Amino acid sequence: MHWSRVISRNAFYYPREVAIVRGKRTLTFEELDRRANRITCLLADIGIARGDRVALLSHNTIEFVELLFGAWKMGVSVVPINFRSSPQEIQHYVGFSGSKALFVGESYIPAVVPVIDSLKNLKKILCFNDVGDSLSSSLLPAQVEDYETFIGRYDGNRIDVSNLDEEEEALLIFTSGSTGAPKAVSTTHRM
């Protein structure tokens, strides 16, 4: 089964059940599905297409999960970047993967700023709050936009995921092996 169908199916059968909890914040399956649909619309709107990749620099957050499912709903692979990565490693991962967008938790903006001008292949850099109650958008570099403001433009209506293939790439993960140099490992939706 394609991973994108998990949230859609649960939103249909268990819409009011809690899907995810982080601190005091919770989302039901229906809310998570709608937010993932908004991500799908956002990606399409900025020119991301099926088969493309988007990078994600964050620790575990609700936005991390909704981005995964939103990207997967349109056949886009996610490149999670280790939050301990140096600016040069971030630059390498984004460039090597060919990621078309970067989603970054606010606390990791300082790691992106030194290399932000070299990330020219990105169509969009979106930042979400991962530390407090609200994003300090006035402190963001000019190239970075507020995630919540951007996804708020979309309604989150149901997205058809019936044409997705479980053999499509779900994640491109960078891991170090015996040499210590990062290696890209691709994984599909096949369970």
Side-chain angles (χ1 to χ4, degrees):
M1 178 190 320
H2 197 279
W3 277 102
S4 65
R5 293 187 183 110
V6 172
I7 293 300
S8 298
R9 184 189 64 207
N10 286 345
F12 180 80
Y13 288 111
Y14 317 106
R16 309 265 185 273
E17 296 294 321
V18 174
I20 189 167
V21 177
R22 182 168 186 265
K24 295 178 183 176
R25 188 172 167 210
T26 64
L27 289 181
T28 65
F29 281 109
E30 183 176 55
E31 291 167 331
L32 180 57
D33 190 48
R34 288 184 66 80
R35 287 184 63 85
N37 290 343
R38 287 177 169 176
I39 298 295
T40 303
C41 293
L42 175 156
L43 293 173
D45 196 38
I46 62 173
I48 308 294
R50 188 175 185 164
D52 285 341
R53 294 181 179 134
V54 296
L56 173 59
L57 175 59
S58 171
H59 54 277
N60 296 335
T61 63
I62 288 177
E63 292 81 7
F64 189 111
V65 175
E66 63 193 27
L67 175 67
L68 285 175
F69 285 102
W72 291 342
K73 283 179 178 230
M74 71 177 303
V76 170
S77 178
V78 177
V79 181
I81 298 175
N82 186 325
F83 64 86
R84 293 182 182 96
S85 297
S86 70
Q88 292 70 33
E89 289 169 325
I90 293 166
Q91 179 183 16
H92 171 74
Y93 299 148
V94 169
F96 181 87
S97 68
S99 291
K100 301 278 174 71
L102 173 62
F103 293 80
V104 59
E106 182 178 10
S107 57
Y108 301 106
I109 286 292
V112 174
V113 168
V115 295
I116 202 165
D117 291 330
S118 67
L119 303 175
K120 298 191 185 316
N121 58 318
L122 295 177
K123 295 181 178 195
K124 187 74 66 184
I125 302 174
L126 291 165
C127 180
F128 53 86
N129 181 299
D130 62 349
V131 291
D133 294 331
S134 63
L135 181 66
S136 304
S137 55
S138 62
L139 303 176
L140 293 178
Q143 303 93 321
V144 180
E145 295 185 54
D146 177 24
Y147 173 89
E148 286 297 330
T149 299
F150 211 89
I151 70 167
R153 300 174 185 167
Y154 306 97
D155 61 19
N157 289 334
R158 186 172 294 276
I159 305 265
D160 179 18
V161 295
S162 62
N163 67 342
L164 298 173
D165 183 359
E166 66 181 11
E167 294 303 323
E168 289 178 307
E169 182 179 83
L171 296 168
L172 184 71
I173 302 169
F174 286 90
T175 181
S176 58
S178 57
T179 64
K183 294 166 187 62
V185 178
S186 176
T187 183
T188 67
H189 291 273
R190 176 169 251 179
M191 294 184 196

